[in-house]
Amino acid sequence: MPTRRTVLGAAAAAGAAAALTNLTTAGTARAGTDADRKTAARDNIRAVDTGMRGNYDTLRANLTKHLGPVIIVNNDMVGGTYHLVDNGTVLERIRPVDEVFELAKSIAHTPLGIYSICAPYLDPKNIPASQAKYIDPHDLAMVAFTGPKDTGWTMPLQAFANTLDAARATLEEAGLPADLHDSCAFILDHAHDYIADTIRTREFDMKSFEAFSSAVYPSIRTNMYWSSKVQIQGVGNLLTRWRKQVGDDAWSGLYVVVLSLWTTYELNQNSIIIKNYMNQDMAGSHLIDLMTAQTPADPVAVALDNLARIVQDNIAAEMVFAADQTTADALKGRQDLLSTEILRLLGSGATASGAAALTKGQTNQLVCPFHNRSAATPALV
């Protein structure tokens, strides 16, 4: 039978448990609230950048409709497809380079075609002494992923030989200049003999291939000469005509965007030619070599999108970083805004190695990024 004491004791225990539970719950709720507030506060901070990027993208999209004059070049297999753009509209699209460009390069690519078939079957441990200091063994091991014991290269190599033989059989009818015809014939004839010997012996190695490629190299140089010659002529004639069409005043502010894969990105053939026809005072900033991961489906859209970023950043740089010319220059160029600070934090060694990339006194930024526009620190040239 329960007594007053046992009932009161049970009630007290229940009350104490409830009080403890409430205390624990309140503490958990408070901690949860603090965490939620922190998350909300950080989300609010992130929203600033999200809002900026939205506005930036809107400006960029609208600006593309007002860009001009712009020449956009897709650095393709036929010497370049050129687009003349004004106010975001393509006025003309043309491939100005004679077909000889493509034909000469096609035959010159013969050794590369053979290499591409047979490279996986090389012996990664057999590097000629003459090449030892030039070939990275690790790279070779990755390329020679099948190895020399397999002869799976024979059928595709014979198929490529058939393609080469068909080109040789009709070469006379192609109407090529005499010396270009002769160089193409030499390459194709020697390729035929080399492939026949290689398939007969079932042996492909670096030394024999280099003997073949060295033998045809002078003829490849002749093909390179003709490709270069007709490209210079075609591009030069087009740019001369477009300059008259646009007018000298507009031409002085011309932007050119050349889209290329990484392998042709530096000293691009089209860029070299075009630069000679631009306002030389502007070419350094208005001739833009744009590297792409692959040939874009819409080179005009890609080029205008990137050019809009460049143009709007040119103005933003001076307005946003009015207190620091160094940081303004970084925003206007390809340098990451955090680069100098990262170099400083990594230490003197990293800073020294990266100093050659800094211009216009960017080491000033290491002092203060916002109050040194007129700082007296000597510039790096």
Side-chain angles (χ1 to χ4, degrees), residues 29-57:
R30 181 174 181 81
T33 299
D34 288 345
D36 290 344
R37 287 175 178 171
K38 181 178 180 179
T39 298
R42 293 191 171 192
D43 287 344
N44 289 339
I45 293 173
R46 292 189 182 96
V48 175
D49 192 60
T50 300
M52 179 282 294
R53 294 185 184 279
N55 294 328
Y56 185 94
D57 291 343

mmCIF file of all heavy atoms in Angstrom, residues 29-57:
data_model
loop_
_atom_site.group_PDB
_atom_site.id
_atom_site.type_symbol
_atom_site.label_atom_id
_atom_site.label_comp_id
_atom_site.label_asym_id
_atom_site.label_seq_id
_atom_site.Cartn_x
_atom_site.Cartn_y
_atom_site.Cartn_z
ATOM 1 N N ALA A 29 18.151 22.675 -27.555
ATOM 2 C CA ALA A 29 17.454 23.639 -28.412
ATOM 3 C C ALA A 29 18.283 24.894 -28.589
ATOM 4 O O ALA A 29 18.377 25.448 -29.685
ATOM 5 C CB ALA A 29 16.093 23.982 -27.808
ATOM 6 N N ARG A 30 18.912 25.340 -27.520
ATOM 7 C CA ARG A 30 19.718 26.545 -27.614
ATOM 8 C C ARG A 30 20.933 26.328 -28.518
ATOM 9 O O ARG A 30 21.249 27.163 -29.364
ATOM 10 C CB ARG A 30 20.168 26.962 -26.208
ATOM 11 C CG ARG A 30 21.014 28.232 -26.200
ATOM 12 C CD ARG A 30 21.325 28.686 -24.793
ATOM 13 N NE ARG A 30 22.116 29.896 -24.828
ATOM 14 C CZ ARG A 30 21.637 31.127 -25.007
ATOM 15 N NH1 ARG A 30 20.334 31.271 -25.185
ATOM 16 N NH2 ARG A 30 22.431 32.172 -25.027
ATOM 17 N N ALA A 31 21.569 25.127 -28.336
ATOM 18 C CA ALA A 31 22.717 24.821 -29.181
ATOM 19 C C ALA A 31 22.291 24.730 -30.642
ATOM 20 O O ALA A 31 22.972 25.212 -31.540
ATOM 21 C CB ALA A 31 23.362 23.521 -28.716
ATOM 22 N N GLY A 32 21.165 24.059 -30.896
ATOM 23 C CA GLY A 32 20.648 23.964 -32.248
ATOM 24 C C GLY A 32 20.343 25.329 -32.824
ATOM 25 O O GLY A 32 20.619 25.605 -33.991
ATOM 26 N N THR A 33 19.809 26.198 -32.060
ATOM 27 C CA THR A 33 19.493 27.549 -32.518
ATOM 28 C C THR A 33 20.769 28.301 -32.877
ATOM 29 O O THR A 33 20.823 28.991 -33.901
ATOM 30 C CB THR A 33 18.722 28.305 -31.425
ATOM 31 O OG1 THR A 33 17.508 27.603 -31.159
ATOM 32 C CG2 THR A 33 18.397 29.719 -31.880
ATOM 33 N N ASP A 34 21.786 28.167 -32.071
ATOM 34 C CA ASP A 34 23.058 28.832 -32.366
ATOM 35 C C ASP A 34 23.649 28.304 -33.674
ATOM 36 O O ASP A 34 24.165 29.076 -34.485
ATOM 37 C CB ASP A 34 24.043 28.600 -31.217
ATOM 38 C CG ASP A 34 23.671 29.392 -29.964
ATOM 39 O OD1 ASP A 34 22.827 30.313 -30.095
ATOM 40 O OD2 ASP A 34 24.204 29.083 -28.887
ATOM 41 N N ALA A 35 23.577 26.981 -33.856
ATOM 42 C CA ALA A 35 24.103 26.394 -35.081
ATOM 43 C C ALA A 35 23.314 26.871 -36.296
ATOM 44 O O ALA A 35 23.881 27.177 -37.348
ATOM 45 C CB ALA A 35 24.068 24.867 -35.005
ATOM 46 N N ASP A 36 21.990 26.928 -36.125
ATOM 47 C CA ASP A 36 21.149 27.404 -37.227
ATOM 48 C C ASP A 36 21.446 28.858 -37.561
ATOM 49 O O ASP A 36 21.481 29.241 -38.730
ATOM 50 C CB ASP A 36 19.667 27.257 -36.861
ATOM 51 C CG ASP A 36 19.226 25.790 -36.810
ATOM 52 O OD1 ASP A 36 19.969 24.950 -37.347
ATOM 53 O OD2 ASP A 36 18.169 25.507 -36.232
ATOM 54 N N ARG A 37 21.640 29.650 -36.525
ATOM 55 C CA ARG A 37 21.959 31.065 -36.751
ATOM 56 C C ARG A 37 23.295 31.229 -37.474
ATOM 57 O O ARG A 37 23.433 32.078 -38.358
ATOM 58 C CB ARG A 37 21.980 31.795 -35.401
ATOM 59 C CG ARG A 37 20.596 32.006 -34.789
ATOM 60 C CD ARG A 37 20.712 32.622 -33.409
ATOM 61 N NE ARG A 37 19.394 32.857 -32.844
ATOM 62 C CZ ARG A 37 19.169 33.221 -31.585
ATOM 63 N NH1 ARG A 37 20.212 33.395 -30.777
ATOM 64 N NH2 ARG A 37 17.942 33.418 -31.160
ATOM 65 N N LYS A 38 24.254 30.390 -37.085
ATOM 66 C CA LYS A 38 25.566 30.456 -37.741
ATOM 67 C C LYS A 38 25.442 30.071 -39.215
ATOM 68 O O LYS A 38 26.018 30.731 -40.096
ATOM 69 C CB LYS A 38 26.536 29.525 -37.032
ATOM 70 C CG LYS A 38 27.938 29.531 -37.634
ATOM 71 C CD LYS A 38 28.873 28.601 -36.848
ATOM 72 C CE LYS A 38 30.280 28.605 -37.431
ATOM 73 N NZ LYS A 38 31.182 27.714 -36.654
ATOM 74 N N THR A 39 24.667 29.002 -39.468
ATOM 75 C CA THR A 39 24.462 28.574 -40.852
ATOM 76 C C THR A 39 23.767 29.652 -41.658
ATOM 77 O O THR A 39 24.165 29.956 -42.799
ATOM 78 C CB THR A 39 23.633 27.277 -40.894
ATOM 79 O OG1 THR A 39 24.346 26.236 -40.213
ATOM 80 C CG2 THR A 39 23.355 26.848 -42.339
ATOM 81 N N ALA A 40 22.726 30.250 -41.059
ATOM 82 C CA ALA A 40 21.985 31.310 -41.761
ATOM 83 C C ALA A 40 22.883 32.508 -42.031
ATOM 84 O O ALA A 40 22.831 33.109 -43.120
ATOM 85 C CB ALA A 40 20.766 31.721 -40.934
ATOM 86 N N ALA A 41 23.716 32.837 -41.058
ATOM 87 C CA ALA A 41 24.606 33.985 -41.223
ATOM 88 C C ALA A 41 25.597 33.736 -42.359
ATOM 89 O O ALA A 41 25.862 34.616 -43.186
ATOM 90 C CB ALA A 41 25.357 34.255 -39.915
ATOM 91 N N ARG A 42 26.116 32.516 -42.409
ATOM 92 C CA ARG A 42 27.077 32.194 -43.470
ATOM 93 C C ARG A 42 26.399 32.129 -44.840
ATOM 94 O O ARG A 42 26.985 32.528 -45.851
ATOM 95 C CB ARG A 42 27.792 30.883 -43.144
ATOM 96 C CG ARG A 42 28.689 31.014 -41.908
ATOM 97 C CD ARG A 42 29.602 29.827 -41.727
ATOM 98 N NE ARG A 42 30.579 30.100 -40.666
ATOM 99 C CZ ARG A 42 31.652 29.366 -40.426
ATOM 100 N NH1 ARG A 42 31.901 28.302 -41.187
ATOM 101 N NH2 ARG A 42 32.483 29.679 -39.456
ATOM 102 N N ASP A 43 25.172 31.633 -44.842
ATOM 103 C CA ASP A 43 24.428 31.623 -46.106
ATOM 104 C C ASP A 43 24.175 33.040 -46.599
ATOM 105 O O ASP A 43 24.218 33.314 -47.800
ATOM 106 C CB ASP A 43 23.102 30.882 -45.934
ATOM 107 C CG ASP A 43 23.288 29.375 -45.822
ATOM 108 O OD1 ASP A 43 24.381 28.891 -46.183
ATOM 109 O OD2 ASP A 43 22.351 28.685 -45.378
ATOM 110 N N ASN A 44 23.910 33.945 -45.654
ATOM 111 C CA ASN A 44 23.699 35.351 -46.024
ATOM 112 C C ASN A 44 24.971 35.953 -46.620
ATOM 113 O O ASN A 44 24.910 36.770 -47.550
ATOM 114 C CB ASN A 44 23.251 36.162 -44.807
ATOM 115 C CG ASN A 44 21.836 35.822 -44.383
ATOM 116 O OD1 ASN A 44 21.056 35.294 -45.176
ATOM 117 N ND2 ASN A 44 21.504 36.118 -43.138
ATOM 118 N N ILE A 45 26.095 35.553 -46.071
ATOM 119 C CA ILE A 45 27.368 36.044 -46.612
ATOM 120 C C ILE A 45 27.584 35.504 -48.017
ATOM 121 O O ILE A 45 27.976 36.236 -48.930
ATOM 122 C CB ILE A 45 28.537 35.639 -45.689
ATOM 123 C CG1 ILE A 45 28.427 36.392 -44.348
ATOM 124 C CG2 ILE A 45 29.883 35.926 -46.353
ATOM 125 C CD1 ILE A 45 29.433 35.934 -43.308
ATOM 126 N N ARG A 46 27.325 34.196 -48.188
ATOM 127 C CA ARG A 46 27.480 33.604 -49.523
ATOM 128 C C ARG A 46 26.540 34.247 -50.542
ATOM 129 O O ARG A 46 26.866 34.335 -51.730
ATOM 130 C CB ARG A 46 27.202 32.101 -49.461
ATOM 131 C CG ARG A 46 28.242 31.299 -48.697
ATOM 132 C CD ARG A 46 28.005 29.803 -48.862
ATOM 133 N NE ARG A 46 28.963 29.033 -48.090
ATOM 134 C CZ ARG A 46 28.737 28.556 -46.867
ATOM 135 N NH1 ARG A 46 27.549 28.771 -46.283
ATOM 136 N NH2 ARG A 46 29.661 27.881 -46.238
ATOM 137 N N ALA A 47 25.387 34.672 -50.080
ATOM 138 C CA ALA A 47 24.405 35.271 -50.987
ATOM 139 C C ALA A 47 24.936 36.542 -51.632
ATOM 140 O O ALA A 47 24.497 36.911 -52.729
ATOM 141 C CB ALA A 47 23.110 35.569 -50.229
ATOM 142 N N VAL A 48 25.872 37.219 -50.952
ATOM 143 C CA VAL A 48 26.472 38.419 -51.541
ATOM 144 C C VAL A 48 27.204 38.051 -52.826
ATOM 145 O O VAL A 48 27.041 38.696 -53.867
ATOM 146 C CB VAL A 48 27.438 39.094 -50.536
ATOM 147 C CG1 VAL A 48 28.158 40.270 -51.197
ATOM 148 C CG2 VAL A 48 26.678 39.561 -49.296
ATOM 149 N N ASP A 49 27.996 36.984 -52.769
ATOM 150 C CA ASP A 49 28.739 36.562 -53.958
ATOM 151 C C ASP A 49 27.801 36.001 -55.015
ATOM 152 O O ASP A 49 27.996 36.229 -56.217
ATOM 153 C CB ASP A 49 29.785 35.519 -53.577
ATOM 154 C CG ASP A 49 30.782 35.266 -54.703
ATOM 155 O OD1 ASP A 49 31.459 36.231 -55.108
ATOM 156 O OD2 ASP A 49 30.867 34.124 -55.181
ATOM 157 N N THR A 50 26.773 35.290 -54.564
ATOM 158 C CA THR A 50 25.797 34.764 -55.522
ATOM 159 C C THR A 50 25.110 35.903 -56.263
ATOM 160 O O THR A 50 24.932 35.856 -57.490
ATOM 161 C CB THR A 50 24.744 33.903 -54.801
ATOM 162 O OG1 THR A 50 25.400 32.809 -54.143
ATOM 163 C CG2 THR A 50 23.716 33.354 -55.789
ATOM 164 N N GLY A 51 24.761 36.930 -55.523
ATOM 165 C CA GLY A 51 24.140 38.093 -56.151
ATOM 166 C C GLY A 51 25.079 38.800 -57.100
ATOM 167 O O GLY A 51 24.689 39.218 -58.197
ATOM 168 N N MET A 52 26.350 38.919 -56.685
ATOM 169 C CA MET A 52 27.330 39.548 -57.558
ATOM 170 C C MET A 52 27.455 38.774 -58.866
ATOM 171 O O MET A 52 27.448 39.349 -59.953
ATOM 172 C CB MET A 52 28.694 39.610 -56.850
ATOM 173 C CG MET A 52 29.823 40.226 -57.682
ATOM 174 S SD MET A 52 30.565 39.160 -58.963
ATOM 175 C CE MET A 52 31.340 37.892 -57.951
ATOM 176 N N ARG A 53 27.578 37.459 -58.760
ATOM 177 C CA ARG A 53 27.761 36.648 -59.951
ATOM 178 C C ARG A 53 26.552 36.697 -60.880
ATOM 179 O O ARG A 53 26.690 36.682 -62.106
ATOM 180 C CB ARG A 53 28.084 35.202 -59.558
ATOM 181 C CG ARG A 53 29.426 35.088 -58.858
ATOM 182 C CD ARG A 53 29.820 33.639 -58.556
ATOM 183 N NE ARG A 53 31.075 33.615 -57.808
ATOM 184 C CZ ARG A 53 32.279 33.727 -58.346
ATOM 185 N NH1 ARG A 53 32.387 33.863 -59.663
ATOM 186 N NH2 ARG A 53 33.368 33.710 -57.603
ATOM 187 N N GLY A 54 25.383 36.765 -60.296
ATOM 188 C CA GLY A 54 24.188 36.906 -61.124
ATOM 189 C C GLY A 54 24.197 38.212 -61.906
ATOM 190 O O GLY A 54 23.908 38.240 -63.104
ATOM 191 N N ASN A 55 24.543 39.291 -61.222
ATOM 192 C CA ASN A 55 24.616 40.596 -61.892
ATOM 193 C C ASN A 55 25.745 40.641 -62.917
ATOM 194 O O ASN A 55 25.604 41.227 -64.000
ATOM 195 C CB ASN A 55 24.821 41.706 -60.844
ATOM 196 C CG ASN A 55 23.619 41.845 -59.934
ATOM 197 O OD1 ASN A 55 22.483 41.607 -60.349
ATOM 198 N ND2 ASN A 55 23.861 42.221 -58.689
ATOM 199 N N TYR A 56 26.854 40.011 -62.575
ATOM 200 C CA TYR A 56 28.005 39.946 -63.487
ATOM 201 C C TYR A 56 27.627 39.201 -64.760
ATOM 202 O O TYR A 56 27.944 39.629 -65.876
ATOM 203 C CB TYR A 56 29.165 39.249 -62.765
ATOM 204 C CG TYR A 56 30.462 39.205 -63.530
ATOM 205 C CD1 TYR A 56 31.443 40.187 -63.352
ATOM 206 C CD2 TYR A 56 30.732 38.170 -64.413
ATOM 207 C CE1 TYR A 56 32.646 40.137 -64.036
ATOM 208 C CE2 TYR A 56 31.937 38.113 -65.110
ATOM 209 C CZ TYR A 56 32.884 39.096 -64.914
ATOM 210 O OH TYR A 56 34.071 39.034 -65.600
ATOM 211 N N ASP A 57 26.926 38.084 -64.589
ATOM 212 C CA ASP A 57 26.512 37.288 -65.748
ATOM 213 C C ASP A 57 25.521 38.046 -66.624
ATOM 214 O O ASP A 57 25.552 37.943 -67.849
ATOM 215 C CB ASP A 57 25.904 35.964 -65.286
ATOM 216 C CG ASP A 57 26.932 35.025 -64.670
ATOM 217 O OD1 ASP A 57 28.138 35.254 -64.880
ATOM 218 O OD2 ASP A 57 26.525 34.067 -63.984
#
